[in-house]
Amino acid sequence: MAFVHLDVLCFYSLLICTAFSSVSSNAEIKVNPPQDFEIVDPGYLGYLCLQWQPPLFLDKFEECTVEYELKYRNIDSEDWKTIITKNLHYNDGFDLNKGVEAKIHTLLPPHCTNGSEVQSLWSEATYWKSPQGSQETKIQEMDCVYYNWQYLLCSWKPGLGVHFHTSYQLFYWYDGLDHATQCPDYIKVDGQNIGCRFPHLEASDYKDFYICVNGSSDSHPIRPSYFIFQLQNIVKPLPPDYLSLTVKNSEEVNLKWSMPQGPIPAKCFIYEIEFTEDDTTWVTTTVENEIRIARISNESQQLCFLVRSKVNIYCSDDGIWSEWSDEQCWKDDIWKETLVFFLTPFAFVSLFVLLVTCLLLYKQKAVLKMIFQRKKEVFSHQDTFC
């Protein structure tokens, strides 16, 4: 028993020594953070490049695949975006109305470090657009709509307290353009730019679309405003047309309409229907261009509906409802029913009167015929007597 106890003690001692040896071995393995970490603005209105160089003394890990863990965010954001990459750069979009901060460190995989991952210290970088002009000089109420997935229109209001002659310019960029481009067709009011009509935007869907509206004034500098959209999320379709309402029977109504015209596929629509039965109105939605609705009462005198369209969740994350279509109604012909109600008994009475009249006339004719025959017999008798 003493030998068994001794073997157990030796076994645990060996485990402890091995663990301390491993910890000691890993503690000796260190890796430096990436060098020259910086955030570069290539002039794409918020699409920035985060780039770095390999850490020093990386040649002793030649057989290892070194990775980098990158974290970044706008400064006011609570959440970090995290990327693990083997590259020496990474691009993403940021809101340049705010500052940008990022940090990165080097990762050595476990097979290079005796079984546990080794991380370097963090290397950090920040980026700010140089502020110019006061916050009040920025444009207000920026609104962009991608009408029928065909043409983009943006509008805004001038900043507070800016001079009447302040000149605003809009620039835009998305992946596929060589450089930021100025609006070619401004919307003007009293000579001041308050909107932009964009040209045909080739291959711009499902990409970040960057916009900057800046300005110039003789009295004071104007602070620029930055925006990021995804065009498929601000599409406003045309309203449906060719509505039809069919009363199938006393309990059910069939509503149907044509798909809005334009390039939007049929599978991308959702429809909202507002249905009114006499004084009762309710709203429902469907992805089809036809729906059947149960009537509240088979005595209802008027049924009406309108419909509008929107790009659904299968084709975008969001969208804008179209205008409502023209109203389509069905009215019960109450005057016809009233006329039938009154004419039916009148017809029966008229028929009865007609029958009675015919009977009376027939009876009168028979009586007259009988009188005529009697007179004829009297005259015949008189002639015989003479």
Side-chain angles (χ1 to χ4, degrees):
M1 291 295 294
F3 288 109
V4 172
H5 182 66
L6 181 61
D7 288 342
V8 171
L9 288 176
C10 291
F11 177 71
Y12 280 114
S13 299
L14 180 62
L15 285 178
I16 292 171
C17 291
T18 302
F20 276 108
S21 174
S22 176
V23 171
S24 176
S25 176
N26 285 338
E28 295 174 358
I29 298 176
K30 294 183 179 180
V31 64
N32 291 310
Q35 301 182 85
D36 304 326
F37 180 45
E38 61 180 341
I39 302 173
V40 178
D41 185 355
Y44 296 151
L45 313 180
Y47 186 70
L48 304 181
C49 178
L50 293 78
Q51 59 187 35
W52 57 93
Q53 295 298 322
L56 293 172
F57 309 116
L58 196 60
D59 50 353
K60 61 182 179 180
F61 302 108
E62 290 181 354
E63 297 181 0
C64 292
T65 301
V66 177
E67 293 182 330
Y68 305 98
E69 182 179 16
L70 172 67
K71 293 179 177 288
Y72 59 91
R73 65 180 180 182
N74 276 112
I75 287 180
D76 290 344
S77 175
E78 296 181 357
D79 300 323
W80 292 89
K81 290 185 178 181
T82 301
I83 299 295
I84 295 179
T85 179
K86 300 174 185 178
N87 298 323
L88 296 176
H89 62 87
Y90 188 80
N91 299 329
D92 204 351
F94 296 87
D95 180 3
L96 293 188
N97 297 300
K98 308 171 184 177
V100 178
E101 59 182 343
K103 57 184 180 180
I104 189 171
H105 63 185
T106 312
L107 303 178
L108 291 181
H111 68 271
C112 297
T113 58
N114 297 328
S116 62
E117 185 179 72
V118 173
Q119 304 176 356
S120 74
L121 298 176
W122 290 101
S123 180
E124 299 180 354
T126 59
Y127 178 80
W128 290 87
K129 290 292 284 187
S130 301
Q132 57 179 5
S134 63
Q135 188 74 16
E136 291 76 17
T137 62
K138 295 175 62 174
I139 63 166
Q140 305 177 77
E141 301 180 26
M142 179 68 160
D143 182 45
C144 290
V145 179
Y146 199 23
Y147 287 97
N148 209 35
W149 214 312
Q150 289 178 304
Y151 61 95
L152 177 65
L153 189 147
C154 291
S155 61
W156 60 84
K157 291 183 179 180
L160 297 174
V162 299
H163 195 271
F164 179 77
H165 295 293
T166 298
S167 175
Y168 290 104
Q169 296 87 34
L170 180 146
F171 295 85
Y172 66 95
W173 181 86
Y174 61 91
D175 187 14
L177 297 181
D178 294 332
H179 53 80
T181 303
Q182 185 173 181
C183 172
D185 184 12
Y186 285 107
I187 302 170
K188 298 177 180 287
V189 172
D190 296 329
Q192 189 177 54
N193 297 337
I194 54 91
C196 175
R197 299 182 190 90
F198 290 77
H200 175 67
L201 302 169
E202 188 71 31
S204 58
D205 303 334
Y206 301 100
K207 299 177 181 179
D208 285 336
F209 192 91
Y210 299 86
I211 291 178
C212 172
V213 181
N214 57 25
S216 59
S217 174
D218 295 336
S219 56
H220 46 68
I222 305 298
R223 179 168 294 192
S225 297
Y226 295 90
F227 306 90
I228 305 176
F229 298 102
Q230 289 230 339
L231 296 187
Q232 74 278 0
N233 295 335
I234 56 172
V235 170
K236 183 177 182 179
L238 293 173
D241 52 11
Y242 302 110
L243 280 64
S244 68
L245 189 158
T246 306
V247 179
K248 306 292 286 185
N249 50 54
S250 61
E251 298 179 352
E252 193 175 59
V253 179
N254 188 72
L255 310 179
K256 192 173 182 180
W257 54 92
S258 296
M259 188 185 76
Q261 297 180 0
I264 305 176
K267 66 180 180 179
C268 290
F269 282 112
I270 184 172
Y271 302 98
E272 186 175 68
I273 301 96
E274 182 181 284
F275 182 76
T276 302
E277 183 172 352
D278 290 339
D279 296 328
T280 304
T281 299
W282 69 92
V283 176
T284 186
T285 57
T286 179
V287 294
E288 305 293 336
N289 66 328
E290 184 175 8
I291 189 172
R292 292 182 178 180
I293 295 180
R295 295 176 66 175
I296 297 175
S297 170
N298 58 7
E299 298 180 357
S300 51
Q301 302 299 320
Q302 179 170 289
L303 307 171
C304 294
F305 83 105
L306 309 94
V307 62
R308 61 180 180 172
S309 60
K310 178 182 174 182
V311 178
N312 62 35
I313 60 174
Y314 301 107
C315 298
S316 70
D317 296 327
D318 201 355
I320 302 171
W321 284 108
S322 73
E323 301 298 326
W324 285 103
S325 67
D326 294 333
E327 187 178 54
Q328 179 70 22
C329 290
W330 172 88
K331 292 184 180 181
D332 195 6
D333 198 343
I334 187 171
W335 292 107
K336 182 178 179 180
E337 291 186 357
T338 304
L339 188 62
V340 170
F341 177 79
F342 285 105
L343 284 181
T344 300
F346 178 76
F348 280 110
V349 171
S350 299
L351 181 61
F352 177 76
V353 171
L354 181 61
L355 289 174
V356 171
T357 303
C358 290
L359 289 173
L360 291 174
L361 290 174
Y362 179 79
K363 186 175 181 180
Q364 186 179 13
K365 182 179 179 182
V367 171
L368 291 173
K369 183 177 181 181
M370 186 176 64
I371 293 172
F372 177 75
Q373 287 179 349
R374 285 182 180 180
K375 286 184 176 182
K376 185 177 180 181
E377 290 177 356
V378 171
F379 285 121
S380 176
H381 179 72
Q382 289 177 353
D383 290 340
T384 303
F385 179 77
C386 291

